Amino acid sequence: MTTTADGAPADSAQASFSLELNDDQRDVREWARGFAAGVMRPAASEWDEREETPWPIIQEAAKIGLYSFEGFGQFWADPTGLTMPIVNEELFWGDAGIGMSIMGTALAVASIFGSGTPEQMGEWIPQCFGTPGDVKVASFCVSEPDAGSDVSALRTTARYDEAKDEWVLNGQKAWATNGGIAAIHVVVASADRELGARGHAAFVIPPDTQGLTQGTKVKKHGIRASHTADVFLDDCRIPGRCLLGGKDKLDGRLARAREGTRSKSQAAMQTFESTRPVVGAQAVGIARAAYEYALDYAKERKQFGRAIIENQGIAFALADMKMEIDCARLLVWRASWMARTGQKFTAAEGSMSKLKAGEVAVAATERAIQILGGNGYTREFPVERWHRDAKIYTIFEGTSEIQRLVIARAISGMKIA
Ligand SMILES: Cc1cc2nc3c(=O)[nH]c(=O)nc-3n(C[C@H](O)[C@H](O)[C@H](O)COP(=O)(O)OP(=O)(O)OC[C@H]3O[C@@H](n4cnc5c(N)ncnc54)[C@H](O)[C@@H]3O)c2cc1C
């Protein structure tokens, strides 16, 4: 094998596969890391205790362009698909509760982007963010009290009032991140309940719409700076143009469903598989925070006359944490790259990445507590907060059981209950 002056194989420049980040990706990573370390980390404990949306921090993020529709657009635009997960990992390394307050908007934006017409994207996406002087957040409302893992069971209805060209929404949404405090709510409702999931459609509820009210704000175990609440829709009337994708498209889809034409479940699966790696990247960020903290601590803390890391029991735990985190990140990057380059998810690789990353985050933060001993169990040290924050990643955006179900169905082609 011939090599270049710096020792690299001579043909490495032509290699079509590389895990090396390019200059733009490295720059964005440093930028997000700087914000996470300088602004989010120092504020994390306070907002966790306050259990309130950290508006001043979101505003700071907006001022530097990190929280803006142009910024998010730039993260998505990377043709390799890696910038969005990289930014998410850094922000959630900084703090998951604040991170979710910043990134919660992305779910609604992704829905408008995925289902909306160009006019709808132009009208609603900027309103999800507001401006640096007047920041806003958005909320994506699918789950209901009786429709969590089983989204097809949702009961919220959308009725079309033809005379007024308005949609009338009724129902209750549960667990909505930013629910009730958002400028824009994207609500998934049933336009025809007999059709199950095939009768669902997504609607934008514009700011200050009558009939949308916030229910009880949920007191949570972790990501406490992120607002979670029920949302009630009581004869909530919205203009016809708020149906994402438009009425003709929905009518065509409902007609095909009534005729029993093959469902578009493949398209829906592609969408989930594309958004899950970003959620996985958030979990990787939390896991990495815990690992780094525990590694430093284990080198400092002395017992029996030596640093605790000099015991294999501690050192091997840290080796496993590092390996598992890298493994999770690689799955996240693979799925993000697949999504961006339009690869087919034949083995539910997006679900795989979210499943692995969520479980790694829970395990790594638990181990970090163990490595810190008594200190790990107190609120004087951040690892207990990271452990509380990590747990949500085996629950939302599809529980670990549901991810396994999706993967099992994808690899087997069988109907697994
Ligand atoms: C902090 C937080 C934020 C959230 N944000 C949002 C949001 O912004 N928008 C939104 O729409 N939703 C949101 N959710 C809702 C979240 O997506 C749901 O909680 C999640 O999908 C699980 O639904 P569930 O809580 O009803 O649990 P259930 O569906 O009742 O599940 C209970 C248990 O049963 C298991 N289970 C269910 N079905 C099966 C099966 N077929 N096989 C094996 N096991 C099964 C589950 O894995 C779980 O362990 C949020 C939730 C939380 C806690």
Side-chain angles (χ1 to χ4, degrees), residues 107 140-143 148-150 174-177 220 223 228 392 395-399 401-402 405 417:
L107 285 175
F140 183 57
C141 310
V142 182
S143 305
S149 299
D150 181 10
W175 307 112
T177 299
K220 303 195 298 291
I223 57 163
T228 315
I392 191 61
I395 298 172
F396 70 4
E397 287 287 307
T399 64
E401 291 78 11
I402 295 302
L405 195 67

Side-chain angles (χ1 to χ4, degrees), residues 1-15:
M1 183 176 68
T2 51
T3 55
T4 61
D6 55 7
D11 59 356
S12 62
Q14 290 127 42

Side-chain angles (χ1 to χ4, degrees), residues 58-368:
I58 304 175
Q59 200 165 16
E60 289 296 305
K63 274 189 200 149
I64 63 164
L66 188 57
Y67 183 74
S68 67
F69 84 95
E70 294 92 345
F72 276 39
Q74 191 198 329
F75 306 153
W76 281 121
D78 176 356
T80 73
L82 293 196
T83 298
M84 197 53 150
I86 287 170
V87 168
N88 273 269
E89 178 178 332
E90 295 309 321
L91 296 184
F92 284 70
W93 171 92
D95 182 60
I98 299 173
M100 189 51 65
S101 295
I102 292 173
M103 282 294 163
T105 294
L107 285 175
V109 170
S111 172
I112 299 171
F113 191 71
S115 311
T117 62
E119 295 73 36
Q120 289 172 326
M121 291 181 213
E123 179 171 9
W124 304 117
I125 293 180
Q127 292 194 49
C128 291
F129 295 92
T131 61
D134 184 19
V135 281
K136 304 287 183 202
V137 291
S139 180
F140 183 57
C141 310
V142 182
S143 305
E144 298 183 0
D146 293 321
S149 299
D150 181 10
V151 176
S152 67
L154 67 80
R155 289 188 190 161
T156 297
T157 55
R159 179 179 60 80
Y160 187 56
D161 180 344
E162 201 160 0
K164 294 187 174 164
D165 182 27
E166 286 178 346
W167 286 92
V168 188
L169 271 64
N170 278 288
Q172 178 182 354
K173 291 295 172 184
W175 307 112
T177 299
N178 296 334
I181 63 165
I184 298 288
H185 292 76
V186 175
V187 170
V188 177
S190 177
D192 185 337
R193 285 198 60 194
E194 284 181 14
L195 297 177
R198 300 187 70 193
H200 293 177
F203 300 85
V204 169
I205 316 288
D208 304 318
T209 299
Q210 296 288 309
L212 183 150
T213 51
Q214 185 192 308
T216 316
K217 181 180 165 183
V218 182
K219 289 194 163 192
K220 303 195 298 291
H221 178 63
I223 57 163
R224 298 197 303 181
S226 167
H227 171 104
T228 315
D230 282 2
V231 169
F232 292 99
L233 299 148
D234 189 9
D235 280 334
C236 180
R237 284 185 167 268
I238 51 173
R241 71 179 201 288
C242 293
L243 163 64
L244 287 176
K247 186 138 186 334
D248 290 346
K249 201 170 168 194
L250 176 67
D251 286 344
R253 192 153 57 78
L254 295 180
R256 284 193 299 280
R258 285 182 196 118
E259 283 162 12
T261 316
R262 222 179 151 290
S263 89
K264 287 248 179 88
S265 60
Q266 189 56 43
M269 182 178 154
Q270 279 286 123
T271 309
F272 281 130
E273 293 303 315
S274 311
T275 52
R276 283 180 178 154
V278 177
V279 180
Q282 298 170 358
V284 172
I286 304 172
R288 198 186 94 215
Y291 157 73
E292 289 174 0
Y293 201 95
L295 178 64
D296 288 346
Y297 189 93
K299 288 189 200 163
E300 288 291 316
R301 173 73 177 164
K302 290 196 169 55
Q303 287 293 280
F304 300 100
R306 56 179 182 267
I308 58 170
I309 199 170
E310 291 177 54
N311 303 295
Q312 280 190 358
I314 299 291
F316 284 11
L318 285 157
D320 282 347
M321 284 160 80
K322 171 69 175 151
M323 175 185 66
E324 290 284 311
I325 292 165
D326 281 8
C327 177
R329 184 185 300 106
L330 285 169
L331 288 179
V332 163
W333 284 13
R334 176 179 73 168
S336 301
W337 169 79
M338 289 177 75
R340 188 64 179 86
T341 56
Q343 315 289 320
K344 213 168 165 208
F345 290 99
T346 51
E349 291 85 349
S351 296
M352 252 188 228
S353 71
K354 191 265 178 186
L355 170 62
K356 179 70 181 169
E359 299 202 337
V360 166
V362 172
T365 51
E366 200 270 338
R367 276 200 157 167

Side-chain angles (χ1 to χ4, degrees), residues 10 48 57 119 327 389 416:
D48 174 60
I57 314 266
E119 295 73 36
C327 177
D389 292 345
I416 295 163

